[in-house]
Coordinates of all heavy atoms in Angstrom, one line a residue:
Y1 N -5.2 -32.5 -88.9 CA -6.1 -33.4 -88.2 C -7.0 -32.6 -87.2 O -6.4 -31.8 -86.5 CB -5.3 -34.5 -87.4 CG -4.3 -35.2 -88.2 CD1 -3.0 -34.7 -88.5 CD2 -4.6 -36.4 -88.9 CE1 -2.1 -35.4 -89.2 CE2 -3.7 -37.1 -89.6 CZ -2.4 -36.6 -89.9 OH -1.5 -37.2 -90.6
S2 N -8.3 -32.9 -87.2 CA -9.1 -32.0 -86.4 C -10.1 -32.9 -85.6 O -10.4 -34.1 -85.9 CB -9.9 -31.1 -87.2 OG -10.7 -31.7 -88.1
G3 N -10.7 -32.3 -84.5 CA -11.7 -33.0 -83.7 C -12.4 -31.9 -82.8 O -12.0 -30.8 -82.8
A4 N -13.5 -32.3 -82.2 CA -14.3 -31.4 -81.5 C -15.0 -32.2 -80.3 O -15.2 -33.4 -80.4 CB -15.4 -30.8 -82.4
V5 N -15.2 -31.4 -79.2 CA -15.9 -32.1 -78.1 C -16.9 -31.0 -77.5 O -16.5 -29.8 -77.5 CB -14.9 -32.6 -77.1 CG1 -14.1 -31.4 -76.5 CG2 -15.6 -33.3 -75.9
D6 N -18.1 -31.4 -77.0 CA -19.0 -30.6 -76.3 C -19.3 -31.2 -74.9 O -19.5 -32.4 -74.8 CB -20.3 -30.5 -77.2 CG -20.1 -29.7 -78.5 OD1 -19.4 -28.7 -78.4 OD2 -20.6 -30.2 -79.5
E7 N -19.3 -30.3 -74.0 CA -19.7 -30.7 -72.6 C -20.8 -29.8 -72.1 O -20.8 -28.6 -72.4 CB -18.5 -30.6 -71.7 CG -17.3 -31.5 -72.0 CD -17.6 -33.0 -71.7 OE1 -18.6 -33.3 -71.0 OE2 -16.8 -33.8 -72.3
D8 N -21.8 -30.4 -71.4 CA -22.9 -29.5 -70.9 C -23.2 -30.0 -69.5 O -23.0 -31.2 -69.1 CB -24.1 -29.6 -71.8 CG -24.7 -31.0 -72.0 OD1 -25.5 -31.4 -71.1 OD2 -24.3 -31.7 -73.0
G9 N -23.8 -29.1 -68.7 CA -24.2 -29.4 -67.3 C -24.6 -28.2 -66.6 O -24.7 -27.0 -67.1
F10 N -24.7 -28.4 -65.3 CA -25.2 -27.3 -64.4 C -24.1 -26.7 -63.6 O -23.0 -27.4 -63.3 CB -26.3 -27.8 -63.5 CG -27.6 -28.3 -64.2 CD1 -27.7 -29.6 -64.4 CD2 -28.5 -27.4 -64.7 CE1 -28.8 -30.0 -65.1 CE2 -29.6 -27.9 -65.3 CZ -29.8 -29.2 -65.6
G11 N -24.2 -25.5 -63.1 CA -23.3 -24.9 -62.3 C -23.9 -23.7 -61.5 O -25.2 -23.5 -61.6
G12 N -23.2 -22.9 -60.9 CA -23.8 -21.7 -60.1 C -23.0 -20.5 -60.5 O -22.1 -20.5 -61.2
F13 N -23.6 -19.4 -60.1 CA -23.0 -18.1 -60.2 C -23.2 -17.2 -59.1 O -24.2 -17.2 -58.4 CB -23.4 -17.5 -61.6 CG -24.9 -17.0 -61.6 CD1 -25.2 -15.6 -61.2 CD2 -25.9 -17.8 -62.0 CE1 -26.5 -15.2 -61.1 CE2 -27.2 -17.3 -62.0 CZ -27.5 -16.0 -61.6
L14 N -22.3 -16.2 -58.9 CA -22.3 -15.1 -57.9 C -21.9 -13.9 -58.6 O -20.9 -13.9 -59.3 CB -21.5 -15.5 -56.7 CG -21.9 -16.6 -55.8 CD1 -20.6 -16.9 -54.8 CD2 -23.1 -16.3 -55.0
G15 N -22.5 -12.8 -58.2 CA -22.1 -11.6 -58.8 C -22.4 -10.4 -58.0 O -23.2 -10.5 -57.0
A16 N -21.9 -9.2 -58.3 CA -22.2 -8.0 -57.6 C -22.0 -6.9 -58.7 O -21.3 -7.0 -59.6 CB -21.3 -7.7 -56.5
G17 N -22.8 -5.8 -58.5 CA -22.8 -4.7 -59.4 C -23.1 -3.4 -58.8 O -23.6 -3.3 -57.7
F18 N -22.8 -2.3 -59.6 CA -23.1 -0.9 -59.2 C -23.9 -0.2 -60.2 O -23.5 -0.2 -61.4 CB -21.8 -0.2 -59.0 CG -22.0 1.2 -58.5 CD1 -22.4 1.5 -57.1 CD2 -21.9 2.3 -59.4 CE1 -22.5 2.8 -56.7 CE2 -22.0 3.6 -58.9 CZ -22.3 3.8 -57.7
N19 N -25.0 0.3 -59.9 CA -25.9 1.1 -60.8 C -25.4 2.5 -60.9 O -25.5 3.3 -60.0 CB -27.4 1.1 -60.4 CG -28.0 -0.3 -60.6 OD1 -27.7 -1.1 -61.5 ND2 -28.9 -0.7 -59.6
V20 N -24.8 2.8 -62.1 CA -24.3 4.2 -62.3 C -25.4 5.1 -62.4 O -25.4 6.2 -61.9 CB -23.4 4.2 -63.4 CG1 -22.8 5.6 -63.7 CG2 -22.2 3.1 -63.3
T21 N -26.4 4.7 -63.1 CA -27.7 5.4 -63.2 C -28.8 4.3 -63.2 O -28.5 3.1 -62.9 CB -27.8 6.1 -64.6 OG1 -28.0 5.1 -65.7 CG2 -26.6 7.0 -64.9
D22 N -30.1 4.7 -63.4 CA -31.1 3.6 -63.3 C -31.0 2.6 -64.5 O -31.5 1.6 -64.5 CB -32.5 4.4 -63.4 CG -33.6 3.4 -63.3 OD1 -33.7 2.7 -62.3 OD2 -34.5 3.3 -64.2
N23 N -30.3 3.1 -65.6 CA -30.2 2.3 -66.8 C -28.8 1.6 -66.9 O -28.7 0.5 -67.5 CB -30.5 3.1 -68.0 CG -31.9 3.6 -68.0 OD1 -32.1 4.9 -67.8 ND2 -32.9 2.8 -68.2
I24 N -27.8 2.3 -66.4 CA -26.4 1.8 -66.7 C -25.8 1.3 -65.4 O -25.9 1.8 -64.4 CB -25.6 3.0 -67.2 CG1 -26.2 3.5 -68.5 CG2 -24.1 2.5 -67.4 CD1 -25.5 4.7 -69.0
S25 N -25.2 0.1 -65.6 CA -24.5 -0.6 -64.4 C -23.1 -1.2 -64.8 O -22.9 -1.4 -66.1 CB -25.4 -1.7 -63.9 OG -25.6 -2.8 -64.9
V26 N -22.4 -1.5 -63.8 CA -21.1 -2.2 -64.0 C -20.9 -3.2 -63.0 O -21.6 -3.1 -62.0 CB -19.8 -1.2 -64.0 CG1 -19.8 -0.2 -65.1 CG2 -19.9 -0.5 -62.6
G27 N -20.2 -4.3 -63.3 CA -20.1 -5.3 -62.2 C -19.3 -6.5 -62.7 O -18.7 -6.5 -63.8
L28 N -19.3 -7.5 -61.8 CA -18.6 -8.8 -62.0 C -19.5 -9.9 -61.7 O -20.3 -9.8 -60.7 CB -17.3 -8.9 -61.1 CG -16.1 -7.9 -61.4 CD1 -15.1 -8.1 -60.2 CD2 -15.5 -8.4 -62.7
T29 N -19.5 -11.0 -62.5 CA -20.2 -12.2 -62.2 C -19.3 -13.4 -62.4 O -18.6 -13.5 -63.4 CB -21.4 -12.4 -63.1 OG1 -22.3 -11.3 -63.0 CG2 -22.2 -13.5 -62.7
Y30 N -19.3 -14.2 -61.4 CA -18.4 -15.4 -61.4 C -19.3 -16.7 -61.7 O -20.2 -17.0 -61.0 CB -17.7 -15.6 -60.1 CG -17.0 -16.9 -60.1 CD1 -15.8 -17.1 -60.7 CD2 -17.4 -18.0 -59.2 CE1 -15.0 -18.3 -60.4 CE2 -16.7 -19.1 -59.0 CZ -15.5 -19.3 -59.7 OH -14.9 -20.5 -59.7
Y31 N -19.0 -17.4 -62.8 CA -19.7 -18.7 -63.1 C -18.8 -19.8 -62.8 O -17.6 -19.8 -63.3 CB -19.9 -18.7 -64.6 CG -21.1 -17.7 -65.0 CD1 -20.8 -16.4 -65.4 CD2 -22.4 -18.2 -65.1 CE1 -21.8 -15.5 -65.8 CE2 -23.4 -17.3 -65.5 CZ -23.1 -16.0 -65.9 OH -24.1 -15.1 -66.2
D32 N -19.2 -20.8 -62.2 CA -18.5 -22.0 -61.9 C -19.1 -23.2 -62.6 O -20.2 -23.1 -63.1 CB -18.2 -22.3 -60.3 CG -19.5 -22.9 -59.8 OD1 -20.6 -22.9 -60.3 OD2 -19.4 -23.5 -58.6
N33 N -18.2 -24.3 -62.8 CA -18.7 -25.5 -63.5 C -19.3 -25.3 -64.8 O -20.4 -25.9 -65.1 CB -19.7 -26.3 -62.5 CG -19.0 -26.8 -61.3 OD1 -17.9 -26.4 -61.0 ND2 -19.7 -27.6 -60.6
L34 N -18.8 -24.5 -65.7 CA -19.2 -24.3 -67.0 C -19.2 -25.6 -67.8 O -18.2 -26.4 -67.6 CB -18.4 -23.2 -67.8 CG -18.7 -21.8 -67.4 CD1 -17.6 -20.9 -68.0 CD2 -20.1 -21.3 -67.8
G35 N -20.3 -25.9 -68.4 CA -20.4 -27.3 -69.1 C -20.4 -28.4 -68.2 O -20.2 -29.5 -68.6
G36 N -20.7 -28.1 -66.9 CA -20.7 -29.2 -65.8 C -19.4 -29.6 -65.5 O -19.2 -30.6 -64.6
E37 N -18.3 -28.9 -65.9 CA -17.0 -29.4 -65.5 C -16.4 -28.6 -64.3 O -16.5 -27.4 -64.3 CB -16.0 -29.1 -66.7 CG -16.3 -29.8 -67.9 CD -16.1 -31.3 -67.8 OE1 -15.0 -31.8 -67.3 OE2 -17.0 -32.1 -68.1
S38 N -16.0 -29.4 -63.3 CA -15.6 -28.7 -62.1 C -14.4 -27.7 -62.1 O -14.3 -26.9 -61.3 CB -15.2 -29.8 -61.0 OG -14.2 -30.6 -61.5
D39 N -13.6 -27.9 -63.2 CA -12.5 -27.0 -63.3 C -12.6 -25.9 -64.4 O -11.7 -25.2 -64.8 CB -11.1 -27.8 -63.6 CG -11.3 -28.6 -64.9 OD1 -12.4 -28.7 -65.4 OD2 -10.2 -29.2 -65.3
A40 N -13.9 -25.8 -64.8 CA -14.2 -24.8 -65.9 C -15.0 -23.6 -65.3 O -16.3 -23.6 -65.2 CB -15.0 -25.4 -67.0
D41 N -14.2 -22.5 -65.0 CA -14.8 -21.3 -64.3 C -14.5 -20.1 -65.2 O -13.5 -20.1 -65.9 CB -14.3 -21.2 -62.9 CG -14.5 -22.5 -62.1 OD1 -15.5 -23.2 -62.3 OD2 -13.6 -22.7 -61.2
A42 N -15.3 -19.0 -65.0 CA -15.0 -17.9 -65.7 C -15.5 -16.7 -64.9 O -16.5 -16.8 -64.2 CB -15.7 -17.9 -67.1
T43 N -14.9 -15.5 -65.1 CA -15.3 -14.3 -64.4 C -15.7 -13.3 -65.5 O -14.9 -13.0 -66.4 CB -14.2 -13.7 -63.5 OG1 -13.8 -14.6 -62.5 CG2 -14.6 -12.4 -62.8

């Protein structure tokens, strides 16, 4: 038995990074409210 659901909406993001060179970087970005859901966050 199968089913599917899609949720969409707006949220915000915050991040920081370090430029190892002018071309290469590393970092973290935090996204909240993915799909407009208040408990759907990702780093």
Side-chain angles (χ1 to χ4, degrees):
Y1 304 88
S2 61
V5 63
D6 295 315
E7 298 289 345
D8 61 85
F10 298 99
F13 70 88
L14 291 170
F18 180 79
N19 291 324
V20 181
T21 69
D22 184 55
N23 301 105
I24 299 173
S25 62
V26 295
L28 291 172
T29 302
Y30 172 76
Y31 289 86
D32 75 345
N33 292 13
L34 287 168
E37 296 294 313
S38 61
D39 58 350
D41 308 325
T43 301

